[in-house]
Amino acid sequence: MGRHSLPDGSAAERTGARSGARRRTLVISTGLVLAVAAGSVVALRGGLLPFGGPCDGRSARLDVAASPDIAPALEAVAETAREDATRTDGRCLDVRVTARAANDLADAFGQRPVDPEFQVWIPDSSMWVDRVEAERGTPLTAAGIVASSPIALGATAKAATSLGWPEKTYPWTKLIRTATSGDALRLGVADPARSATGLLSLARISAADRKDAKDGDEATTRTAATAKLLHQRIADGDGPALATLPRDASGAEQGNPRRNQALLLSEQAAFAHNTAAGGGPDLELFYPQDGPARLDYPYTLVDEAEMSPEQTRAAGRFMTLLGESGGQRTLRGHGFRAGNGEADPKVAAAAGARAPQPYSAAPADPPAIKEVQALMGRWTVTVQNIRFTTVVDASPSMGSPVPGGGGRSRMDLAKNSLLQALTTFTPEDEIGLWKFATRLDGAKDYVELSPTSRLGDRDPAGGTHRDALTAAFDSLAPVLRGATGLYDTTLAAYRQACATYTSGKLNTLVIVTDGANDDIGSLGLDALAAELEKLSDPKKPVPVIALALGPVADTAALNRIVAPTGGSAHRVADPSQLHQVLLKALMTAGGKGPR
């Protein structure tokens, strides 16, 4: 391992960032290098920076959180720095690396306020940093890219041969289609909700579908179909995905239906698998012709404004060590490429690459955070399960005819559209229905027409909950007398949704209304917002989706209602398009936070 002394101003690679992110990166990287240099000058003038001297007294502590795949390499560099008595501010640099799953820290940093226990975070993808920034969570500053690894399809020898490795090369769509056609092989992937590898793979598949398909609807259908296939052999994360591979070359292991014969994984993960003692049969890698996705490992400062000058200089010193030849040599020894993505033939060969597979090809551009959020929502709607109650306004105004609607009322068009949305959900999804006006059930403004249950559940007569719910939607009609009891109904429905929260599903509450609260006996808007804030739990989120029909719906009040729940409000000019707005809102909600 390399030996380090004074920083030479070198920094980690910074390539492939979008323009805004690149400007931010250059500013902070310059600041870090200047901080390191300034600290070194002070130390030299004070005689506090001996070369190779022992460490006495206080050290400069830096706490780093890193994705589990890169954490061992970072710890090796940190250990060398301790052995060499590498210094910053005249003190020995003491870097402590903790392996933490990137999605877990992204969830934590996405909420404010937070008291970070780490000064530096190195996740496996800039996607996580962008997500926290989009959620306006803990301030993060990406200072550079310390390593990278392309994402490929790794297959055991027999499976790779069946796909034509190494001579046969494929674009993304054909590679996945060929690997999943019929009983070709068992292809696994890490959950895109938890893994950058899984989500970036899905993003490349989606981008390829958009390029190949005739229109957006066809592209979405293709991607959804692929997502359903991948979901059949999904693993909770990258580590669990690797554990699904055969443990040896025996017929029992190779033929075990619970063992995957191929995985979507990073080159580094394949390297680690192939070089580990007793890691099972080696993998061979297929690299997509149209550019692989890439893990990029951004060196990220956590709440930089709250860091002390000593911590900032220690962070800069460690980043410099990672960019120096010794640090890069250590990263290569663990199977990583440099930050600029340039392939190392020895690393690639050990991982399972062989020409003519295009392992040196430049990676595809990373998806924008809005694309990632939309894709995550689509994944949630397509393959994960949903639990929500639809609360529909049944006040007299819902009986008003819609201009250009052929005499049909707002209620007619809304319920037909909701029935259309119902056809897109699976038997595992849980959906219920309330209606509201004023005093529909004694003093209550609401009535439950159908409980929130699995659509596939059967009643004693043999019918399904989907059948019962369809009948309940069909029965919706405006009441002859009454008003809009929006606030009391919202609070009651939200309380029930929180009380019946189901882990592992997207839990939400959908409110459909065409008016403003006009129940003079109800609680006020301020009181409702305060109660919703008390009930909301970031660890068990139940975002409210409010759909405002017609020109007089109180969107200002609806925005106040959804805000404390992390939900969204949408004006729907055409009630017949309600299902499209609802599904898009569910996709957006599906891309936010834990389930």
Side-chain angles (χ1 to χ4, degrees):
M1 226 169 262
R3 294 294 187 251
H4 312 290
S5 53
L6 287 173
D8 61 4
S10 64
E13 298 279 359
R14 294 181 294 274
T15 61
R18 291 179 290 279
S19 59
R22 185 179 292 113
R23 285 195 296 272
R24 178 184 63 184
T25 293
L26 290 173
V27 169
I28 184 59
S29 296
T30 301
L32 281 174
V33 171
L34 289 175
V36 173
S40 301
V41 170
V42 170
L44 283 168
R45 288 176 176 171
L48 298 176
L49 198 57
F51 289 81
C55 282
D56 298 315
R58 294 172 59 196
S59 61
R61 173 73 176 263
L62 182 72
D63 287 290
V64 177
S67 288
D69 52 351
I70 200 171
L74 300 176
E75 178 54 40
V77 176
E79 179 59 28
T80 298
R82 286 191 288 270
E83 291 173 357
D84 290 352
T86 302
R87 297 177 182 254
T88 176
D89 279 346
R91 300 175 184 172
C92 284
L93 181 64
D94 182 16
V95 179
R96 303 299 173 93
V97 179
T98 302
R100 291 285 295 272
N103 66 296
D104 288 341
L105 276 185
D107 287 341
F109 288 149
Q111 302 165 26
R112 298 189 70 182
V114 66
D115 182 16
E117 55 184 305
F118 307 104
Q119 292 82 55
V120 173
W121 180 32
I122 306 179
D124 54 4
S125 173
S126 296
M127 173 192 74
W128 302 113
V129 180
D130 292 343
R131 178 183 132 183
V132 173
E133 186 176 73
E135 293 175 358
R136 299 183 180 180
T138 302
L140 301 175
T141 309
I145 302 301
V146 300
S148 67
S149 189
I151 294 171
L153 186 147
T156 58
K158 184 177 180 180
T161 300
S162 73
L163 295 176
W165 186 90
E167 290 80 10
K168 183 71 172 176
T169 61
Y170 301 87
W172 270 103
T173 51
K174 192 171 182 180
L175 176 61
I176 302 303
R177 192 179 307 123
T178 303
T180 55
S181 295
D183 297 324
L185 53 82
R186 298 183 293 274
L187 173 63
V189 66
D191 187 351
R194 301 169 180 264
S195 161
T197 302
L199 186 52
L200 291 172
S201 296
L202 194 61
R204 287 300 301 133
I205 294 167
S206 176
D209 286 338
R210 289 197 304 272
K211 183 178 179 180
D212 293 347
K214 293 180 296 185
D215 54 46
D217 288 342
E218 182 184 339
T220 299
T221 301
R222 283 190 189 181
T223 304
T226 302
K228 285 182 180 293
L229 287 171
L230 293 176
H231 188 258
Q232 293 174 8
R233 304 195 69 84
I234 199 168
D236 283 344
D238 298 304
L242 284 167
T244 66
L245 292 169
R247 293 173 293 187
D248 54 52
S250 68
E253 278 291 293
Q254 297 285 335
N256 186 339
R258 300 182 66 181
R259 294 287 177 194
N260 287 318
Q261 300 160 297
L263 290 177
L264 289 167
L265 78 174
S266 71
E267 181 183 81
Q268 189 278 331
F271 175 96
H273 173 84
N274 288 356
T275 57
D282 282 359
L283 296 174
E284 316 291 4
L285 295 184
F286 289 87
Y287 294 78
Q289 295 170 344
D290 43 350
R294 183 178 74 149
L295 302 179
D296 62 359
Y297 304 92
Y299 192 95
T300 309
L301 302 186
V302 181
D303 205 354
E304 179 198 4
E306 296 300 316
M307 291 171 62
S308 68
E310 293 78 10
Q311 289 174 327
T312 300
R313 287 192 286 271
R317 188 70 178 98
F318 187 53
M319 188 177 78
T320 300
L321 294 180
L322 294 173
E324 288 178 345
S325 59
Q328 288 294 295
R329 194 160 51 245
T330 299
L331 287 162
R332 284 196 303 274
H334 285 76
F336 293 95
R337 296 187 180 191
N340 63 8
E342 182 178 353
D344 182 292
K346 291 183 179 180
V347 169
R354 185 184 299 174
Q357 289 297 319
Y359 63 86
S360 296
D365 291 336
I369 187 59
K370 287 187 177 180
E371 294 176 56
V372 171
Q373 290 172 330
L375 189 62
M376 192 66 258
R378 196 178 309 144
W379 170 265
T380 299
V381 172
T382 302
V383 302
Q384 296 190 22
N385 300 130
I386 299 176
R387 176 184 172 85
F388 70 92
T389 301
T390 308
V391 182
V392 179
D393 190 344
S395 60
S397 59
M398 286 291 286
S400 303
V402 174
R408 289 175 294 178
S409 70
R410 208 170 281 156
M411 177 66 87
D412 292 332
L413 294 176
K415 73 179 183 182
N416 288 342
S417 190
L418 289 169
L419 283 167
Q420 190 172 346
L422 183 60
T423 64
T424 66
F425 297 106
T426 73
E428 294 300 318
D429 293 319
E430 300 179 39
I431 303 177
L433 176 64
W434 291 17
K435 70 175 182 179
F436 71 96
T438 50
R439 297 185 176 275
L440 291 184
D441 182 12
K444 294 192 300 184
D445 293 342
Y446 48 87
V447 172
E448 181 182 74
L449 298 181
S450 184
T452 304
S453 303
R454 286 179 65 256
L455 292 177
D457 284 349
R458 293 193 175 274
D459 58 32
T464 65
H465 179 60
R466 186 190 297 271
D467 298 332
L469 188 60
T470 299
F473 273 115
D474 278 334
S475 73
L476 282 171
V479 297
L480 296 178
R481 296 183 180 84
T484 306
L486 177 62
Y487 296 167
D488 284 353
T489 300
T490 298
L491 181 57
Y494 195 72
R495 277 177 174 156
Q496 178 168 305
C498 291
T500 57
Y501 181 91
T502 302
S503 297
K505 296 188 176 185
L506 168 61
N507 292 248
T508 186
L509 175 67
V510 177
I511 298 174
V512 180
T513 182
D514 73 337
N517 184 75
D518 50 14
D519 179 1
I520 59 174
S522 74
L523 80 170
L525 181 58
D526 289 341
L528 172 60
E531 287 297 317
L532 294 175
E533 188 166 7
K534 290 178 186 176
L535 288 167
S536 64
D537 181 353
K539 294 182 179 179
K540 296 181 178 181
V542 183
V544 173
I545 295 172
L547 304 176
L549 302 181
V552 299
D554 191 350
T555 53
L558 293 175
N559 280 316
R560 284 283 309 279
I561 288 169
V562 303
T565 73
S568 58
H570 309 265
R571 182 177 290 282
V572 185
D574 181 357
S576 68
Q577 300 303 305
L578 187 64
H579 65 291
Q580 294 185 5
V581 180
L582 171 59
L583 292 175
K584 185 175 181 180
L586 287 171
M587 289 180 185
T588 301
K592 295 181 180 179
R595 283 170 287 285

